[in-house]
Amino acid sequence: MTDIHRDAGEAVDSVLVALADPTRRQLLELLAAQGEITATTLAAQLPVSRQAVVKHLAVLDAAGLVSGGRVGREVRYAVRPAALDATARWMAALAVDWDRRLANIKRVAEAGEREERPGSA
């Protein structure tokens, strides 16, 4: 495996791990809908503490899904779509590969059915 493929695989892994948690998915949805926002504002919309929100945001940040930027005394978080886009492209390529495999299985199965029918020879 090349370094590029390994790095891409690790990036996809970190995105999938980050998105495995429903609270993190909800945070990402809130950020996507509301734009730049603070952890305090996010915590007010969720049944978790501000500290829990900050920890979840750190996981999302490490996966490249959000970024935090200081504005005065506040840290405002925003969605970074590049990592999610790369993961979506990986998933789409995987789906194309599975579609191809399933089409081959269907073709082989249908060919076998034709050969087994009486009078088809």
Side-chain angles (χ1 to χ4, degrees):
M1 182 185 297
T2 66
D3 287 342
I4 292 171
H5 286 108
R6 186 177 309 110
D7 291 345
E10 289 173 5
V12 168
D13 289 349
S14 66
V15 167
L16 293 177
V17 167
L19 295 178
D21 184 276
T23 301
R24 289 193 285 268
R25 288 192 307 270
Q26 194 172 8
L27 283 168
L28 201 57
E29 289 173 10
L30 288 169
L31 286 166
Q34 299 175 19
E36 259 187 28
I37 195 167
T38 66
T40 302
T41 304
L42 287 164
Q45 300 174 57
L46 297 169
V48 295
S49 68
R50 182 190 177 285
Q51 291 78 11
V53 166
V54 169
K55 287 180 181 182
H56 283 299
L57 288 168
V59 173
L60 292 169
D61 188 13
L65 294 168
V66 302
S67 62
R70 192 164 285 284
V71 178
R73 293 178 51 195
E74 298 179 328
V75 176
R76 295 188 184 198
Y77 294 88
V79 173
R80 290 176 42 202
L84 196 55
D85 292 343
T87 302
R89 284 192 303 276
W90 173 80
M91 292 175 87
L94 187 63
V96 166
D97 188 44
W98 275 104
D99 288 345
R100 182 186 50 78
R101 290 177 188 198
L102 291 172
N104 285 339
I105 291 169
K106 180 181 177 187
R107 183 183 46 76
V108 168
E110 288 173 347
E113 282 180 2
R114 283 192 299 272
E115 290 175 7
E116 291 178 3
R117 289 187 190 141
S120 64

PDB file of all heavy atoms in Angstrom, residues 104-117 120:
ATOM      1  N   ASN A 104     -21.984  -8.902 -11.948  1.00  0.00           N
ATOM      2  CA  ASN A 104     -21.308 -10.117 -12.424  1.00  0.00           C
ATOM      3  C   ASN A 104     -21.964 -11.367 -11.861  1.00  0.00           C
ATOM      4  O   ASN A 104     -22.163 -12.352 -12.579  1.00  0.00           O
ATOM      5  CB  ASN A 104     -19.821 -10.090 -12.069  1.00  0.00           C
ATOM      6  CG  ASN A 104     -19.036  -9.149 -12.955  1.00  0.00           C
ATOM      7  OD1 ASN A 104     -19.465  -8.806 -14.049  1.00  0.00           O
ATOM      8  ND2 ASN A 104     -17.890  -8.725 -12.466  1.00  0.00           N
ATOM      9  N   ILE A 105     -22.305 -11.345 -10.578  1.00  0.00           N
ATOM     10  CA  ILE A 105     -22.981 -12.497  -9.959  1.00  0.00           C
ATOM     11  C   ILE A 105     -24.335 -12.729 -10.640  1.00  0.00           C
ATOM     12  O   ILE A 105     -24.690 -13.875 -10.949  1.00  0.00           O
ATOM     13  CB  ILE A 105     -23.161 -12.271  -8.440  1.00  0.00           C
ATOM     14  CG1 ILE A 105     -21.798 -12.319  -7.753  1.00  0.00           C
ATOM     15  CG2 ILE A 105     -24.125 -13.292  -7.842  1.00  0.00           C
ATOM     16  CD1 ILE A 105     -21.813 -11.853  -6.306  1.00  0.00           C
ATOM     17  N   LYS A 106     -25.067 -11.666 -10.894  1.00  0.00           N
ATOM     18  CA  LYS A 106     -26.372 -11.784 -11.561  1.00  0.00           C
ATOM     19  C   LYS A 106     -26.200 -12.375 -12.962  1.00  0.00           C
ATOM     20  O   LYS A 106     -26.945 -13.265 -13.363  1.00  0.00           O
ATOM     21  CB  LYS A 106     -27.037 -10.410 -11.648  1.00  0.00           C
ATOM     22  CG  LYS A 106     -28.388 -10.437 -12.323  1.00  0.00           C
ATOM     23  CD  LYS A 106     -28.989  -9.045 -12.412  1.00  0.00           C
ATOM     24  CE  LYS A 106     -30.309  -9.115 -13.153  1.00  0.00           C
ATOM     25  NZ  LYS A 106     -30.853  -7.799 -13.409  1.00  0.00           N
ATOM     26  N   ARG A 107     -25.196 -11.893 -13.687  1.00  0.00           N
ATOM     27  CA  ARG A 107     -24.950 -12.383 -15.046  1.00  0.00           C
ATOM     28  C   ARG A 107     -24.641 -13.879 -15.021  1.00  0.00           C
ATOM     29  O   ARG A 107     -25.188 -14.660 -15.796  1.00  0.00           O
ATOM     30  CB  ARG A 107     -23.804 -11.599 -15.686  1.00  0.00           C
ATOM     31  CG  ARG A 107     -23.502 -11.982 -17.129  1.00  0.00           C
ATOM     32  CD  ARG A 107     -22.314 -11.224 -17.696  1.00  0.00           C
ATOM     33  NE  ARG A 107     -21.154 -11.152 -16.826  1.00  0.00           N
ATOM     34  CZ  ARG A 107     -20.290 -12.146 -16.595  1.00  0.00           C
ATOM     35  NH1 ARG A 107     -20.465 -13.315 -17.166  1.00  0.00           N
ATOM     36  NH2 ARG A 107     -19.255 -11.971 -15.800  1.00  0.00           N
ATOM     37  N   VAL A 108     -23.775 -14.307 -14.101  1.00  0.00           N
ATOM     38  CA  VAL A 108     -23.410 -15.721 -13.990  1.00  0.00           C
ATOM     39  C   VAL A 108     -24.629 -16.553 -13.594  1.00  0.00           C
ATOM     40  O   VAL A 108     -24.873 -17.630 -14.167  1.00  0.00           O
ATOM     41  CB  VAL A 108     -22.251 -15.904 -12.979  1.00  0.00           C
ATOM     42  CG1 VAL A 108     -22.040 -17.364 -12.633  1.00  0.00           C
ATOM     43  CG2 VAL A 108     -20.971 -15.286 -13.533  1.00  0.00           C
ATOM     44  N   ALA A 109     -25.419 -16.073 -12.659  1.00  0.00           N
ATOM     45  CA  ALA A 109     -26.608 -16.810 -12.215  1.00  0.00           C
ATOM     46  C   ALA A 109     -27.623 -16.943 -13.343  1.00  0.00           C
ATOM     47  O   ALA A 109     -28.206 -18.022 -13.549  1.00  0.00           O
ATOM     48  CB  ALA A 109     -27.238 -16.117 -11.011  1.00  0.00           C
ATOM     49  N   GLU A 110     -27.837 -15.868 -14.096  1.00  0.00           N
ATOM     50  CA  GLU A 110     -28.797 -15.920 -15.204  1.00  0.00           C
ATOM     51  C   GLU A 110     -28.303 -16.828 -16.319  1.00  0.00           C
ATOM     52  O   GLU A 110     -29.089 -17.542 -16.944  1.00  0.00           O
ATOM     53  CB  GLU A 110     -29.074 -14.507 -15.723  1.00  0.00           C
ATOM     54  CG  GLU A 110     -29.919 -13.694 -14.762  1.00  0.00           C
ATOM     55  CD  GLU A 110     -30.072 -12.241 -15.177  1.00  0.00           C
ATOM     56  OE1 GLU A 110     -29.333 -11.764 -16.084  1.00  0.00           O
ATOM     57  OE2 GLU A 110     -30.927 -11.563 -14.579  1.00  0.00           O
ATOM     58  N   ALA A 111     -27.005 -16.835 -16.558  1.00  0.00           N
ATOM     59  CA  ALA A 111     -26.444 -17.728 -17.576  1.00  0.00           C
ATOM     60  C   ALA A 111     -26.630 -19.181 -17.143  1.00  0.00           C
ATOM     61  O   ALA A 111     -26.970 -20.049 -17.957  1.00  0.00           O
ATOM     62  CB  ALA A 111     -24.972 -17.420 -17.814  1.00  0.00           C
ATOM     63  N   GLY A 112     -26.434 -19.456 -15.863  1.00  0.00           N
ATOM     64  CA  GLY A 112     -26.639 -20.804 -15.333  1.00  0.00           C
ATOM     65  C   GLY A 112     -28.089 -21.239 -15.456  1.00  0.00           C
ATOM     66  O   GLY A 112     -28.379 -22.396 -15.765  1.00  0.00           O
ATOM     67  N   GLU A 113     -29.027 -20.337 -15.212  1.00  0.00           N
ATOM     68  CA  GLU A 113     -30.451 -20.645 -15.344  1.00  0.00           C
ATOM     69  C   GLU A 113     -30.791 -21.000 -16.794  1.00  0.00           C
ATOM     70  O   GLU A 113     -31.548 -21.939 -17.038  1.00  0.00           O
ATOM     71  CB  GLU A 113     -31.309 -19.455 -14.900  1.00  0.00           C
ATOM     72  CG  GLU A 113     -31.426 -19.294 -13.422  1.00  0.00           C
ATOM     73  CD  GLU A 113     -32.288 -18.095 -13.038  1.00  0.00           C
ATOM     74  OE1 GLU A 113     -32.814 -17.408 -13.949  1.00  0.00           O
ATOM     75  OE2 GLU A 113     -32.421 -17.838 -11.840  1.00  0.00           O
ATOM     76  N   ARG A 114     -30.264 -20.252 -17.728  1.00  0.00           N
ATOM     77  CA  ARG A 114     -30.540 -20.522 -19.149  1.00  0.00           C
ATOM     78  C   ARG A 114     -30.031 -21.897 -19.554  1.00  0.00           C
ATOM     79  O   ARG A 114     -30.660 -22.612 -20.326  1.00  0.00           O
ATOM     80  CB  ARG A 114     -29.919 -19.438 -20.031  1.00  0.00           C
ATOM     81  CG  ARG A 114     -30.702 -18.138 -20.038  1.00  0.00           C
ATOM     82  CD  ARG A 114     -30.231 -17.209 -21.129  1.00  0.00           C
ATOM     83  NE  ARG A 114     -28.828 -16.817 -20.987  1.00  0.00           N
ATOM     84  CZ  ARG A 114     -28.398 -15.768 -20.277  1.00  0.00           C
ATOM     85  NH1 ARG A 114     -29.268 -15.019 -19.647  1.00  0.00           N
ATOM     86  NH2 ARG A 114     -27.125 -15.488 -20.215  1.00  0.00           N
ATOM     87  N   GLU A 115     -28.860 -22.285 -19.044  1.00  0.00           N
ATOM     88  CA  GLU A 115     -28.281 -23.583 -19.392  1.00  0.00           C
ATOM     89  C   GLU A 115     -29.055 -24.734 -18.795  1.00  0.00           C
ATOM     90  O   GLU A 115     -29.087 -25.823 -19.352  1.00  0.00           O
ATOM     91  CB  GLU A 115     -26.814 -23.638 -18.906  1.00  0.00           C
ATOM     92  CG  GLU A 115     -25.909 -22.733 -19.706  1.00  0.00           C
ATOM     93  CD  GLU A 115     -24.492 -22.708 -19.134  1.00  0.00           C
ATOM     94  OE1 GLU A 115     -24.199 -23.498 -18.214  1.00  0.00           O
ATOM     95  OE2 GLU A 115     -23.688 -21.911 -19.617  1.00  0.00           O
ATOM     96  N   GLU A 116     -29.715 -24.503 -17.644  1.00  0.00           N
ATOM     97  CA  GLU A 116     -30.453 -25.573 -16.962  1.00  0.00           C
ATOM     98  C   GLU A 116     -31.859 -25.776 -17.516  1.00  0.00           C
ATOM     99  O   GLU A 116     -32.470 -26.800 -17.284  1.00  0.00           O
ATOM    100  CB  GLU A 116     -30.541 -25.276 -15.473  1.00  0.00           C
ATOM    101  CG  GLU A 116     -29.201 -25.380 -14.766  1.00  0.00           C
ATOM    102  CD  GLU A 116     -29.298 -25.036 -13.296  1.00  0.00           C
ATOM    103  OE1 GLU A 116     -30.414 -24.777 -12.799  1.00  0.00           O
ATOM    104  OE2 GLU A 116     -28.252 -25.010 -12.623  1.00  0.00           O
ATOM    105  N   ARG A 117     -32.413 -24.825 -18.226  1.00  0.00           N
ATOM    106  CA  ARG A 117     -33.780 -24.950 -18.735  1.00  0.00           C
ATOM    107  C   ARG A 117     -33.856 -26.024 -19.811  1.00  0.00           C
ATOM    108  O   ARG A 117     -32.985 -26.097 -20.696  1.00  0.00           O
ATOM    109  CB  ARG A 117     -34.245 -23.615 -19.342  1.00  0.00           C
ATOM    110  CG  ARG A 117     -34.496 -22.576 -18.286  1.00  0.00           C
ATOM    111  CD  ARG A 117     -35.113 -21.331 -18.919  1.00  0.00           C
ATOM    112  NE  ARG A 117     -35.110 -20.273 -17.927  1.00  0.00           N
ATOM    113  CZ  ARG A 117     -34.847 -19.002 -18.190  1.00  0.00           C
ATOM    114  NH1 ARG A 117     -34.596 -18.628 -19.426  1.00  0.00           N
ATOM    115  NH2 ARG A 117     -34.880 -18.123 -17.249  1.00  0.00           N
ATOM    116  N   SER A 120     -33.064 -25.605 -23.855  1.00  0.00           N
ATOM    117  CA  SER A 120     -32.200 -24.443 -24.093  1.00  0.00           C
ATOM    118  C   SER A 120     -30.917 -24.835 -24.795  1.00  0.00           C
ATOM    119  O   SER A 120     -30.163 -23.980 -25.194  1.00  0.00           O
ATOM    120  CB  SER A 120     -31.898 -23.728 -22.773  1.00  0.00           C
ATOM    121  OG  SER A 120     -31.150 -24.573 -21.910  1.00  0.00           O
TER     122      SER A 120
END
